[in-house]
Amino acid sequence: MHAPGQQPLIERDAFVNLDANAYLYTGAHSPALRRVEEAIVCSYRAKSLGEGGRDVLYAAEAATRASIARLTDRPVEEVGLLGDASSAWSAIANGWQWSPGDNVVVNEYEHPAVFAPWLRLREAGLEVRVVPRREDWSLPVEDLVAACDDRTVALCVSHVGYITGLRYDLEELGMAAENARVPLLLDISHSLGVVPTDLSRAALTVSASYKWTLGPYGVGIVFWNRDILPDFKPGAVGWRSLSNIFTEDRFETLNWNPGASRFQVGAPALAEIAGLGAAIDEILELGIDRVEAHAVSLAAAAAAGLREQGFTVITPADPAAHAGNVSFLWPNGEQLAAALAEQGVYVWGGDGRVRASFHVMNDTGDVERFLSAVQAATVQSDETRELPTPLEGSTR
């Protein structure tokens, strides 16, 4: 039995066109898994079968929802699939009940997909409170809760942040939100598929499909905890949001689907949903605890190596407080990422930092290649490794 990280959990030949010496770009998007490609092609071809093809596509959709439910240990009725994570967040914000003078709490590390829909509502009287990081780049739960008051209608938090890689303890976060009597809204785009996600204390949860789940673009995942937030109506509706579109009173009443499928506005990307299901099944077969141990160990080793080289690593050192992302400061992150790519090491750079993401296709050799490439690309540079920069801009 190999120690976590010594060998990849999924070999390189299981991916299509994976020519990188070290693929550390999963925080932006994962490489193309052959199993996913085959599921997409098979489902797309079913379109030629008429009504029978639709049966195939809808069966694949149901199977994907069931697999996601297994991975998160939630009822399948709580899982909805729509076009993308941003659409889910917009549907949540636009359907949320609030009054002028109420507030929503986010933090400095949140992605625009999470906070932008709420910012749009400021013109109607909603306050959006942004909790700042501390000087040491930490952003503890107590700071989030301290920003809440009796006019706070939601606390929006990413389980794992895309900027520093900070991972919150979901039990601690959920209990704190409950004690503050504030609904918790989660984004798990950087945790679903790489670390366990206990969603039992979140009212609504959202995830992208194309990162740590190993899935394709084109699918947004939403979880609706009806025990915490009964009768929620999304702020977007279409024919697939409804349980029956042919009722006699269809011009009078919206008969919403009883579960999270009410978030599914229209005809979805069914072939891509089938691909996501194949990717989730790959994670299920590996076991999420095994995936977590693998990714966290590699990220910790990379962070330790960067610190030894003198870089300012902004990812928490505690293994329980990060997942697969490792971020360090660099004034021109785009330029450094391009230099690393020339060496076959794929990372994300920008926003005054560089982020390397370790997942199932990586091993300790990738850590060594990454550290060596960073050293080679920066040894002649005059840029300081200690210069903090504003956190502006992002990609998802």
Side-chain angles (χ1 to χ4, degrees):
M1 179 69 69
H2 296 289
Q6 287 191 338
Q7 299 289 334
L9 298 185
I10 302 179
E11 297 294 339
R12 292 174 63 92
D13 60 7
F15 296 88
V16 181
N17 197 34
L18 183 55
D19 58 358
N21 293 328
Y23 190 97
L24 309 176
Y25 195 73
T26 299
H29 69 221
S30 64
L33 193 62
R34 292 186 188 278
R35 179 174 180 175
V36 171
E37 180 184 60
E38 291 166 1
I40 291 173
V41 170
C42 181
S43 292
Y44 180 73
R45 288 177 176 174
K47 283 188 68 182
S48 299
L49 303 178
E51 188 67 24
R54 179 171 284 192
D55 291 341
V56 171
L57 290 164
Y58 285 165
E61 180 187 28
T64 296
R65 292 177 65 220
S67 293
I68 293 170
R70 284 180 55 205
L71 180 60
T72 55
D73 195 27
R74 301 304 301 170
V76 69
E77 295 79 16
E78 290 189 3
V79 181
L81 302 173
L82 61 166
D84 54 71
S86 293
S87 293
W89 275 111
S90 289
I92 290 169
N94 291 331
W96 205 253
Q97 297 296 307
W98 58 276
S99 301
D102 288 343
N103 67 80
V104 169
V105 174
V106 299
N107 67 74
E108 183 178 345
Y109 292 154
E110 285 307 330
H111 193 278
V114 177
F115 67 75
W118 304 102
L119 287 184
R120 191 189 67 81
L121 298 174
R122 289 193 302 184
E123 61 192 42
L126 180 68
E127 179 188 358
V128 180
R129 295 181 176 176
V130 183
V131 181
R133 66 173 177 87
R134 295 186 178 182
E135 288 297 318
D136 63 355
W137 294 88
S138 66
L139 218 169
V141 170
E142 54 261 35
D143 289 5
L144 302 179
V145 176
C148 300
D149 59 23
D150 59 1
R151 296 299 300 273
T152 303
V153 294
L155 172 61
C156 306
V157 186
S158 289
H159 178 202
V160 174
Y162 83 109
I163 290 178
T164 69
L166 166 65
R167 172 166 47 145
Y168 286 106
D169 181 308
L170 289 179
E171 178 69 14
E172 177 189 7
L173 181 62
M175 286 292 295
E178 286 180 14
N179 291 336
R181 299 182 181 277
V182 175
L184 175 62
L185 308 182
L186 278 179
D187 191 288
I188 56 172
S189 295
H190 280 272
S191 57
L192 185 63
V194 64
V195 295
T197 51
D198 180 359
L199 310 182
S200 60
R201 297 186 184 277
L204 290 162
T205 303
V206 174
S207 179
S209 61
Y210 52 87
K211 301 175 184 289
W212 304 89
T213 62
L214 307 177
Y217 283 94
V219 188
I221 308 168
V222 61
F223 302 83
W224 174 28
N225 191 328
R226 294 177 294 177
D227 291 335
I228 295 177
L229 191 69
D231 301 322
F232 180 73
K233 296 178 176 61
V237 61
W239 70 273
R240 284 205 94 212
S241 308
L242 309 177
S243 60
N244 187 345
I245 63 174
F246 299 120
T247 60
E248 292 184 0
D249 63 348
R250 59 185 177 272
F251 292 103
E252 306 295 333
T253 302
L254 292 175
N255 57 331
W256 292 89
N257 286 328
S261 57
R262 62 176 53 190
F263 281 86
Q264 301 175 186
V265 177
L270 289 167
E272 284 70 21
I273 287 174
L276 175 60
I280 295 291
D281 287 344
E282 188 80 20
I283 299 295
L284 286 169
E285 290 165 13
L286 290 171
I288 192 61
D289 291 338
R290 184 183 177 201
V291 173
E292 176 189 28
H294 180 86
V296 168
S297 67
L298 292 175
L306 288 168
R307 291 187 179 98
E308 288 177 4
Q309 290 185 18
F311 291 93
T312 301
V313 178
I314 59 177
T315 303
D318 181 0
H322 68 78
N325 284 329
V326 175
S327 294
F328 66 96
L329 297 184
W330 193 259
N332 193 333
E334 297 94 337
Q335 186 179 63
L336 181 54
L340 296 180
E342 291 178 359
Q343 301 182 59
V345 176
Y346 294 172
V347 300
W348 184 92
D351 199 24
R353 61 195 164 89
V354 172
R355 182 184 66 204
S357 302
F358 295 87
H359 202 14
V360 292
M361 74 291 297
N362 302 122
D363 61 14
T364 52
D366 289 328
V367 175
E368 295 168 2
R369 283 183 281 272
F370 165 66
L371 294 173
S372 177
V374 169
Q375 187 172 47
T378 60
V379 68
Q380 300 298 328
S381 176
D382 292 329
E383 296 174 315
T384 174
R385 299 177 183 185
E386 301 293 335
L387 179 64
T389 58
L391 296 173
E392 298 176 347
S394 59
T395 57
R396 176 177 293 182

